[in-house]
Amino acid sequence: MDVILVGSSQLSCPPSPGLRRDLIAYEVKVNQRDIEDLCICCGSFQVHTQHPLFEGGMCAPCKDRFLDCFFLYDDDGYQSYCSICCGGETLLICENPDCTRCYCFDCVDALAGPGMAGTVQAMSHWVCFLCLPFSCCGLLRQRPKWRRRLKALYDQESESPFEMYKIVPVWKREPVRVLSLFGDISKELTSLGFLEDGSGTGRLKHLNDVTNVVRRDVEYWGPFDLVYGCTPHPGQACDRPPGWHLLQFHRLLQYARPRHGRPQPFFWMFVDNLLLSKDDRSVATRFLETDPVTIQDAVLVWSNIPAVRSRHSALVPQEELSLLAWDRQRAKSPTPGPAKLVQNCFLPLREYFKYFSVNSLPLYK
Protein backbone atom coordinates (compact mmCIF):
# COMPACT_ATOMS: atom_id res chain seq x y z
CA MET A 1 0.00 0.00 0.00
CA ASP A 2 1.38 3.40 -0.99
CA VAL A 3 1.10 6.05 1.70
CA ILE A 4 2.83 9.29 2.52
CA LEU A 5 5.41 8.30 5.06
CA VAL A 6 5.22 9.46 8.66
CA GLY A 7 8.05 11.87 9.40
CA SER A 8 8.56 12.75 5.74
CA SER A 9 10.46 16.00 5.22
CA GLN A 10 10.34 16.43 1.47
CA LEU A 11 9.74 20.17 1.72
CA SER A 12 13.03 21.92 0.98
CA CYS A 13 13.76 25.63 1.36
CA PRO A 14 11.78 27.30 -1.43
CA PRO A 15 12.78 30.35 -3.44
CA SER A 16 11.32 33.74 -2.66
CA PRO A 17 7.55 33.38 -3.00
CA GLY A 18 5.50 34.70 -5.84
CA LEU A 19 2.09 33.39 -4.79
CA ARG A 20 0.42 33.98 -1.44
CA ARG A 21 0.00 30.27 -0.74
CA ASP A 22 3.73 29.73 -1.31
CA LEU A 23 4.36 32.31 1.40
CA ILE A 24 3.63 29.70 4.06
CA ALA A 25 6.60 27.51 3.21
CA TYR A 26 8.86 30.51 2.58
CA GLU A 27 8.07 32.14 5.93
CA VAL A 28 8.53 28.92 7.91
CA LYS A 29 11.62 27.57 6.13
CA VAL A 30 13.45 30.79 5.29
CA ASN A 31 12.23 33.41 7.76
CA GLN A 32 11.86 30.89 10.61
CA ARG A 33 8.34 32.06 11.41
CA ASP A 34 6.25 29.83 13.66
CA ILE A 35 3.58 28.15 11.53
CA GLU A 36 1.05 28.88 14.28
CA ASP A 37 1.45 32.56 13.33
CA LEU A 38 0.34 31.89 9.75
CA CYS A 39 -3.05 30.95 8.33
CA ILE A 40 -2.30 27.59 6.71
CA CYS A 41 -5.43 27.97 4.57
CA CYS A 42 -4.38 31.14 2.74
CA GLY A 43 -1.02 32.37 4.09
CA SER A 44 -2.37 35.41 5.94
CA PHE A 45 -0.47 36.81 8.92
CA GLN A 46 -3.77 37.90 10.52
CA VAL A 47 -4.32 34.77 12.62
CA HIS A 48 -7.64 34.63 14.47
CA THR A 49 -7.49 31.11 15.91
CA GLN A 50 -5.66 27.81 15.52
CA HIS A 51 -6.53 25.20 12.91
CA PRO A 52 -8.19 22.31 14.78
CA LEU A 53 -6.81 19.44 12.68
CA PHE A 54 -3.26 20.47 11.80
CA GLU A 55 -0.56 22.67 13.31
CA GLY A 56 -0.98 26.24 12.09
CA GLY A 57 -3.32 29.18 12.39
CA MET A 58 -6.49 30.34 10.67
CA CYS A 59 -7.52 33.89 9.81
CA ALA A 60 -11.09 34.99 10.50
CA PRO A 61 -12.43 34.57 6.92
CA CYS A 62 -10.91 31.08 6.60
CA LYS A 63 -12.26 30.16 10.03
CA ASP A 64 -15.76 31.18 8.96
CA ARG A 65 -15.51 29.18 5.74
CA PHE A 66 -14.22 26.16 7.68
CA LEU A 67 -17.15 26.28 10.09
CA ASP A 68 -19.64 26.58 7.23
CA CYS A 69 -18.20 23.89 4.98
CA PHE A 70 -16.38 21.23 6.98
CA PHE A 71 -19.44 18.98 7.40
CA LEU A 72 -20.72 19.38 3.84
CA TYR A 73 -20.81 16.20 1.74
CA ASP A 74 -21.37 15.46 -1.94
CA ASP A 75 -23.59 12.73 -3.36
CA ASP A 76 -20.59 10.39 -3.54
CA GLY A 77 -20.40 10.36 0.26
CA TYR A 78 -17.15 12.29 0.52
CA GLN A 79 -16.61 15.78 1.88
CA SER A 80 -17.42 18.55 -0.57
CA TYR A 81 -14.31 20.57 0.23
CA CYS A 82 -10.71 20.25 1.37
CA SER A 83 -10.33 19.23 5.03
CA ILE A 84 -7.62 21.87 5.47
CA CYS A 85 -8.92 25.04 3.78
CA CYS A 86 -12.53 23.98 3.05
CA GLY A 87 -12.05 25.14 -0.53
CA GLY A 88 -10.26 23.70 -3.52
CA GLU A 89 -11.31 22.60 -6.99
CA THR A 90 -9.64 19.23 -7.60
CA LEU A 91 -9.65 17.11 -4.46
CA LEU A 92 -7.60 14.08 -3.45
CA ILE A 93 -9.72 11.42 -1.76
CA CYS A 94 -8.54 9.30 1.16
CA GLU A 95 -8.94 5.62 0.26
CA ASN A 96 -9.32 4.37 3.79
CA PRO A 97 -12.83 2.84 3.52
CA ASP A 98 -13.78 4.40 6.88
CA CYS A 99 -12.65 7.91 5.90
CA THR A 100 -14.57 10.51 3.88
CA ARG A 101 -11.95 13.29 3.81
CA CYS A 102 -10.55 15.15 0.83
CA TYR A 103 -7.58 17.49 0.31
CA CYS A 104 -7.06 20.05 -2.41
CA PHE A 105 -3.98 20.10 -4.63
CA ASP A 106 -3.00 23.60 -3.41
CA CYS A 107 -2.93 22.68 0.26
CA VAL A 108 -1.06 19.43 -0.31
CA ASP A 109 1.60 21.09 -2.48
CA ALA A 110 1.96 24.12 -0.19
CA LEU A 111 2.14 22.20 3.09
CA ALA A 112 3.24 18.63 2.35
CA GLY A 113 5.73 19.60 -0.35
CA PRO A 114 5.91 20.86 -3.95
CA GLY A 115 4.62 18.22 -6.32
CA MET A 116 3.20 16.07 -3.52
CA ALA A 117 -0.33 16.29 -4.92
CA GLY A 118 0.86 14.76 -8.17
CA THR A 119 2.68 12.05 -6.26
CA VAL A 120 -0.47 11.19 -4.31
CA GLN A 121 -2.57 11.23 -7.48
CA ALA A 122 -0.24 8.64 -9.03
CA MET A 123 -0.48 6.28 -6.06
CA SER A 124 -2.51 3.10 -6.27
CA HIS A 125 -3.81 3.52 -2.73
CA TRP A 126 -3.47 6.54 -0.46
CA VAL A 127 -4.26 6.96 3.24
CA CYS A 128 -4.69 10.59 4.29
CA PHE A 129 -2.92 12.75 6.84
CA LEU A 130 -5.58 12.20 9.53
CA CYS A 131 -5.83 8.42 9.13
CA LEU A 132 -2.12 7.88 9.80
CA PRO A 133 -1.42 8.20 13.55
CA PHE A 134 0.88 11.12 14.43
CA SER A 135 1.17 11.93 10.75
CA CYS A 136 3.81 14.44 9.70
CA CYS A 137 4.56 15.32 6.09
CA GLY A 138 6.56 18.44 5.39
CA LEU A 139 4.81 21.29 7.19
CA LEU A 140 1.59 19.32 7.56
CA ARG A 141 1.48 17.96 11.10
CA GLN A 142 -1.58 16.37 12.64
CA ARG A 143 -2.62 17.87 15.96
CA PRO A 144 -2.96 15.55 18.95
CA LYS A 145 -6.55 15.22 20.13
CA TRP A 146 -7.81 16.96 16.98
CA ARG A 147 -11.37 15.69 17.49
CA ARG A 148 -11.56 17.54 20.79
CA ARG A 149 -10.09 20.65 19.17
CA LEU A 150 -12.64 20.47 16.36
CA LYS A 151 -15.50 20.35 18.85
CA ALA A 152 -14.00 23.26 20.82
CA LEU A 153 -13.74 25.38 17.66
CA TYR A 154 -17.39 24.83 16.79
CA ASP A 155 -18.56 25.41 20.35
CA GLN A 156 -16.59 28.65 20.67
CA GLU A 157 -16.85 30.14 17.19
CA SER A 158 -19.96 28.73 15.49
CA GLU A 159 -23.26 30.62 15.48
CA SER A 160 -25.19 27.37 15.95
CA PRO A 161 -27.41 27.36 19.05
CA PHE A 162 -26.44 23.74 19.73
CA GLU A 163 -23.32 22.30 21.28
CA MET A 164 -21.39 20.14 18.83
CA TYR A 165 -20.78 16.51 19.67
CA LYS A 166 -17.17 15.33 19.42
CA ILE A 167 -16.80 13.12 16.37
CA VAL A 168 -16.28 9.46 17.15
CA PRO A 169 -13.15 7.48 16.17
CA VAL A 170 -13.85 4.76 13.62
CA TRP A 171 -13.13 1.92 16.04
CA LYS A 172 -15.73 3.23 18.49
CA ARG A 173 -18.60 3.85 16.07
CA GLU A 174 -21.76 1.80 16.45
CA PRO A 175 -24.70 1.42 14.03
CA VAL A 176 -27.18 4.28 14.35
CA ARG A 177 -30.48 3.62 16.17
CA VAL A 178 -33.32 5.57 14.58
CA LEU A 179 -36.84 6.55 15.61
CA SER A 180 -38.71 7.56 12.44
CA LEU A 181 -42.06 9.31 12.95
CA PHE A 182 -44.72 9.65 10.23
CA GLY A 183 -42.20 9.10 7.42
CA ASP A 184 -40.25 5.88 6.78
CA ILE A 185 -36.59 6.72 6.04
CA SER A 186 -35.28 3.15 5.88
CA LYS A 187 -34.56 3.37 2.12
CA GLU A 188 -32.64 6.63 2.52
CA LEU A 189 -30.57 5.33 5.43
CA THR A 190 -29.86 2.08 3.61
CA SER A 191 -28.71 3.90 0.46
CA LEU A 192 -26.28 5.92 2.60
CA GLY A 193 -24.96 2.80 4.30
CA PHE A 194 -26.36 3.38 7.78
CA LEU A 195 -28.55 0.26 7.64
CA GLU A 196 -27.41 -3.14 6.41
CA ASP A 197 -30.71 -3.85 4.69
CA GLY A 198 -34.03 -2.15 4.07
CA SER A 199 -35.66 -3.62 7.13
CA GLY A 200 -33.14 -2.19 9.55
CA THR A 201 -34.10 -4.84 12.07
CA GLY A 202 -33.24 -3.71 15.55
CA ARG A 203 -31.93 -0.36 14.31
CA LEU A 204 -34.97 1.54 13.02
CA LYS A 205 -38.36 1.99 14.66
CA HIS A 206 -41.00 3.50 12.36
CA LEU A 207 -44.29 4.83 13.75
CA ASN A 208 -47.20 6.56 12.02
CA ASP A 209 -49.76 6.86 14.80
CA VAL A 210 -48.13 7.94 18.05
CA THR A 211 -51.25 9.09 19.87
CA ASN A 212 -50.99 6.48 22.60
CA VAL A 213 -47.19 6.29 22.78
CA VAL A 214 -45.86 7.21 26.22
CA ARG A 215 -42.36 7.74 27.61
CA ARG A 216 -42.15 4.15 28.81
CA ASP A 217 -42.63 2.90 25.23
CA VAL A 218 -39.87 5.08 23.80
CA GLU A 219 -37.47 4.11 26.55
CA TYR A 220 -38.28 0.44 25.96
CA TRP A 221 -37.66 0.71 22.20
CA GLY A 222 -34.55 2.85 22.62
CA PRO A 223 -32.10 4.21 23.23
CA PHE A 224 -32.07 6.19 19.98
CA ASP A 225 -29.35 8.21 18.28
CA LEU A 226 -31.53 9.93 15.65
CA VAL A 227 -35.16 11.04 15.74
CA TYR A 228 -36.79 12.00 12.44
CA GLY A 229 -40.26 13.38 11.81
CA CYS A 230 -42.15 15.14 9.02
CA THR A 231 -45.50 16.49 7.91
CA PRO A 232 -47.42 14.53 5.22
CA HIS A 233 -47.01 15.06 1.49
CA PRO A 234 -49.40 17.60 -0.08
CA GLY A 235 -52.49 15.72 -1.16
CA GLN A 236 -51.72 12.74 1.08
CA ALA A 237 -54.79 11.55 2.96
CA CYS A 238 -54.39 12.36 6.64
CA ASP A 239 -56.95 12.81 9.41
CA ARG A 240 -54.57 14.95 11.50
CA PRO A 241 -53.71 18.62 10.98
CA PRO A 242 -50.05 19.36 10.12
CA GLY A 243 -49.48 21.02 13.49
CA TRP A 244 -50.32 17.73 15.23
CA HIS A 245 -47.27 16.10 13.63
CA LEU A 246 -45.04 18.88 14.93
CA LEU A 247 -46.35 18.67 18.49
CA GLN A 248 -46.17 14.89 18.59
CA PHE A 249 -42.63 14.97 17.21
CA HIS A 250 -41.58 17.40 19.93
CA ARG A 251 -43.23 15.26 22.62
CA LEU A 252 -41.50 12.05 21.57
CA LEU A 253 -38.23 13.90 21.01
CA GLN A 254 -38.20 14.76 24.72
CA TYR A 255 -38.78 11.11 25.59
CA ALA A 256 -35.92 9.98 23.34
CA ARG A 257 -33.26 12.43 24.53
CA PRO A 258 -30.37 10.90 26.49
CA ARG A 259 -30.45 11.40 30.20
CA HIS A 260 -28.63 14.45 31.49
CA GLY A 261 -24.90 13.96 31.84
CA ARG A 262 -24.61 11.35 29.06
CA PRO A 263 -22.47 12.86 26.27
CA GLN A 264 -23.53 10.39 23.57
CA PRO A 265 -24.23 11.99 20.15
CA PHE A 266 -27.94 12.55 19.69
CA PHE A 267 -29.44 14.08 16.55
CA TRP A 268 -32.89 15.02 15.37
CA MET A 269 -34.63 16.45 12.31
CA PHE A 270 -38.14 17.68 11.60
CA VAL A 271 -39.20 18.33 7.99
CA ASP A 272 -42.22 20.40 6.96
CA ASN A 273 -43.49 19.81 3.43
CA LEU A 274 -44.80 23.41 3.40
CA LEU A 275 -47.99 22.43 5.20
CA LEU A 276 -47.47 24.16 8.55
CA SER A 277 -49.15 27.51 9.03
CA LYS A 278 -47.19 30.63 9.88
CA ASP A 279 -48.15 30.23 13.55
CA ASP A 280 -47.18 26.55 13.51
CA ARG A 281 -43.75 27.44 12.13
CA SER A 282 -43.26 29.97 14.89
CA VAL A 283 -44.17 27.30 17.42
CA ALA A 284 -41.69 24.90 15.82
CA THR A 285 -38.90 27.46 16.00
CA ARG A 286 -39.67 28.18 19.66
CA PHE A 287 -39.99 24.54 20.72
CA LEU A 288 -37.03 23.24 18.70
CA GLU A 289 -34.89 26.26 19.60
CA THR A 290 -33.55 26.89 16.11
CA ASP A 291 -34.67 28.57 12.89
CA PRO A 292 -35.62 26.46 9.86
CA VAL A 293 -33.85 26.38 6.52
CA THR A 294 -35.30 25.68 3.08
CA ILE A 295 -34.20 22.89 0.76
CA GLN A 296 -34.87 23.21 -2.97
CA ASP A 297 -37.76 25.57 -2.16
CA ALA A 298 -39.64 22.39 -1.30
CA VAL A 299 -39.32 21.67 2.41
CA LEU A 300 -38.44 23.42 5.66
CA VAL A 301 -36.00 21.71 8.00
CA TRP A 302 -35.31 22.12 11.71
CA SER A 303 -32.31 20.04 12.85
CA ASN A 304 -29.19 19.86 15.01
CA ILE A 305 -27.24 17.79 12.43
CA PRO A 306 -23.96 19.57 11.60
CA ALA A 307 -23.97 21.73 8.46
CA VAL A 308 -27.69 21.50 7.72
CA ARG A 309 -27.88 25.27 8.06
CA SER A 310 -24.84 26.04 5.92
CA ARG A 311 -25.73 23.58 3.17
CA HIS A 312 -29.05 25.12 2.36
CA SER A 313 -30.58 28.54 1.90
CA ALA A 314 -31.90 30.78 4.62
CA LEU A 315 -35.62 30.93 5.25
CA VAL A 316 -37.40 32.47 2.27
CA PRO A 317 -40.07 35.14 2.87
CA GLN A 318 -43.35 33.94 4.33
CA GLU A 319 -45.32 35.16 1.30
CA GLU A 320 -43.15 33.08 -1.05
CA LEU A 321 -43.57 29.98 1.11
CA SER A 322 -47.32 30.44 1.11
CA LEU A 323 -47.42 30.75 -2.68
CA LEU A 324 -45.25 27.66 -3.13
CA ALA A 325 -47.49 25.62 -0.84
CA TRP A 326 -50.67 26.91 -2.52
CA ASP A 327 -49.37 26.21 -6.05
CA ARG A 328 -48.33 22.69 -5.10
CA GLN A 329 -51.65 21.83 -3.50
CA ARG A 330 -53.56 23.31 -6.43
CA ALA A 331 -51.49 21.47 -9.04
CA LYS A 332 -51.37 18.27 -7.00
CA SER A 333 -48.28 17.31 -8.95
CA PRO A 334 -46.11 14.50 -7.57
CA THR A 335 -43.04 15.76 -5.72
CA PRO A 336 -40.16 13.95 -4.03
CA GLY A 337 -40.91 13.01 -0.46
CA PRO A 338 -39.31 14.97 2.39
CA ALA A 339 -36.97 12.09 3.22
CA LYS A 340 -35.59 12.02 -0.33
CA LEU A 341 -34.99 15.76 -0.34
CA VAL A 342 -33.06 15.74 2.95
CA GLN A 343 -31.22 12.46 2.33
CA ASN A 344 -27.78 14.05 1.99
CA CYS A 345 -28.30 15.99 5.21
CA PHE A 346 -27.67 12.69 7.00
CA LEU A 347 -24.16 12.26 5.54
CA PRO A 348 -22.37 14.15 8.38
CA LEU A 349 -23.57 11.37 10.68
CA ARG A 350 -20.82 9.21 9.17
CA GLU A 351 -18.51 11.04 11.57
CA TYR A 352 -20.43 9.51 14.48
CA PHE A 353 -21.93 6.17 13.47
CA LYS A 354 -20.91 3.05 11.62
CA TYR A 355 -21.90 2.74 7.98
CA PHE A 356 -21.87 -0.38 5.86
CA SER A 357 -21.82 0.54 2.17
CA VAL A 358 -18.52 1.58 0.60
CA ASN A 359 -18.28 3.07 -2.87
CA SER A 360 -15.35 2.28 -5.16
CA LEU A 361 -14.26 5.74 -6.26
CA PRO A 362 -11.24 7.28 -7.97
CA LEU A 363 -8.42 8.78 -5.98
CA TYR A 364 -9.37 12.32 -6.87
CA LYS A 365 -12.41 14.29 -8.03
Side-chain angles (χ1 to χ4, degrees):
M1 178 176 64
D2 295 322
V3 297
I4 294 179
L5 298 178
V6 175
S8 172
S9 57
Q10 299 182 33
L11 189 64
S12 58
C13 293
S16 180
L19 299 175
R20 187 175 186 88
R21 184 65 68 100
D22 293 336
L23 186 64
I24 301 172
Y26 182 81
E27 287 295 325
V28 173
K29 290 291 184 176
V30 177
N31 291 343
Q32 301 297 304
R33 184 184 291 269
D34 190 336
I35 197 171
E36 301 288 4
D37 296 330
L38 290 167
C39 175
I40 62 173
C41 303
C42 71
S44 171
F45 294 156
Q46 304 299 316
V47 170
H48 173 79
T49 188
Q50 303 307 305
H51 198 286
L53 310 182
F54 301 99
E55 292 184 6
M58 278 200 300
C59 65
C62 289
K63 177 266 299 182
D64 292 339
R65 183 172 65 247
F66 185 95
L67 292 174
D68 284 342
C69 298
F70 184 77
F71 281 102
L72 298 186
Y73 287 75
D74 284 342
D75 293 341
D76 58 15
Y78 286 91
Q79 286 184 318
S80 301
Y81 300 102
C82 172
S83 293
I84 300 173
C85 69
C86 281
E89 297 180 359
T90 304
L91 301 176
L92 297 163
I93 295 174
C94 178
E95 290 197 301
N96 179 348
D98 294 313
C99 183
T100 59
R101 309 210 185 284
C102 303
Y103 301 83
C104 72
F105 276 46
D106 288 343
C107 280
V108 173
D109 281 341
L111 297 170
M116 183 58 70
T119 301
V120 171
Q121 184 178 349
M123 289 180 175
S124 60
H125 193 93
W126 178 62
V127 176
C128 81
F129 310 103
L130 288 178
C131 289
L132 292 175
F134 310 110
S135 176
C136 170
C137 183
L139 297 180
L140 200 57
R141 298 172 181 268
Q142 180 191 128
R143 286 196 188 276
K145 301 180 180 179
W146 58 266
R147 296 177 182 85
R148 183 177 301 174
R149 288 176 174 269
L150 181 65
K151 168 180 166 55
L153 178 68
Y154 270 87
D155 289 345
Q156 295 167 11
E157 301 282 354
S158 174
E159 296 180 357
S160 171
F162 304 111
E163 180 181 1
M164 177 187 163
Y165 294 105
K166 186 174 74 171
I167 63 177
V168 178
V170 172
W171 58 90
K172 292 185 178 180
R173 294 174 191 169
E174 298 289 341
V176 65
R177 299 160 295 188
V178 183
L179 177 60
S180 181
L181 306 176
F182 323 125
D184 186 357
I185 57 173
S186 60
K187 291 183 179 179
E188 286 72 24
L189 293 179
T190 301
S191 69
L192 296 176
F194 289 113
L195 299 178
E196 288 188 276
D197 54 61
S199 65
T201 303
R203 298 298 175 186
L204 185 144
K205 181 70 175 179
H206 174 224
L207 300 171
N208 276 321
D209 187 356
V210 299
T211 306
N212 298 321
V213 174
V214 296
R215 181 183 294 272
R216 184 188 310 161
D217 298 325
V218 176
E219 292 179 347
Y220 175 76
W221 296 324
F224 295 105
D225 307 302
L226 171 66
V227 179
Y228 172 87
C230 65
T231 58
H233 295 229
Q236 178 181 344
C238 182
D239 57 356
R240 307 283 188 181
W244 177 88
H245 296 80
L246 165 66
L247 296 177
Q248 294 299 325
F249 171 81
H250 180 261
R251 180 173 70 89
L252 268 66
L253 177 64
Q254 307 315 305
Y255 298 163
R257 289 186 184 277
R259 296 187 183 276
H260 182 71
R262 297 183 62 183
Q264 72 181 71
F266 177 78
F267 300 99
W268 53 267
M269 177 184 290
F270 184 78
V271 180
D272 170 32
N273 206 18
L274 300 188
L275 294 182
L276 293 179
S277 67
K278 180 179 179 180
D279 289 342
D280 286 339
R281 291 171 187 150
S282 297
V283 170
T285 297
R286 186 170 74 252
F287 281 15
L288 300 177
E289 300 180 354
T290 187
D291 292 321
V293 294
T294 59
I295 299 179
Q296 300 180 21
D297 293 330
V299 294
L300 291 177
V301 178
W302 290 261
S303 181
N304 72 332
I305 296 177
V308 166
R309 294 194 59 80
S310 60
R311 186 176 186 92
H312 307 286
S313 60
L315 183 61
V316 298
Q318 177 65 34
E319 294 79 5
E320 186 174 345
L321 286 175
S322 299
L323 287 174
L324 286 169
W326 171 254
D327 288 344
R328 185 183 302 168
Q329 291 180 4
R330 183 176 58 183
K332 294 184 179 180
S333 57
T335 57
K340 187 66 176 177
L341 289 170
V342 302
Q343 175 174 321
N344 281 7
C345 295
F346 295 127
L347 283 170
L349 300 183
R350 287 189 170 188
E351 300 283 2
Y352 299 93
F353 305 107
K354 181 178 180 180
Y355 60 96
F356 299 96
S357 65
V358 178
N359 297 324
S360 178
L361 296 170
L363 189 58
Y364 65 96
K365 61 177 179 176

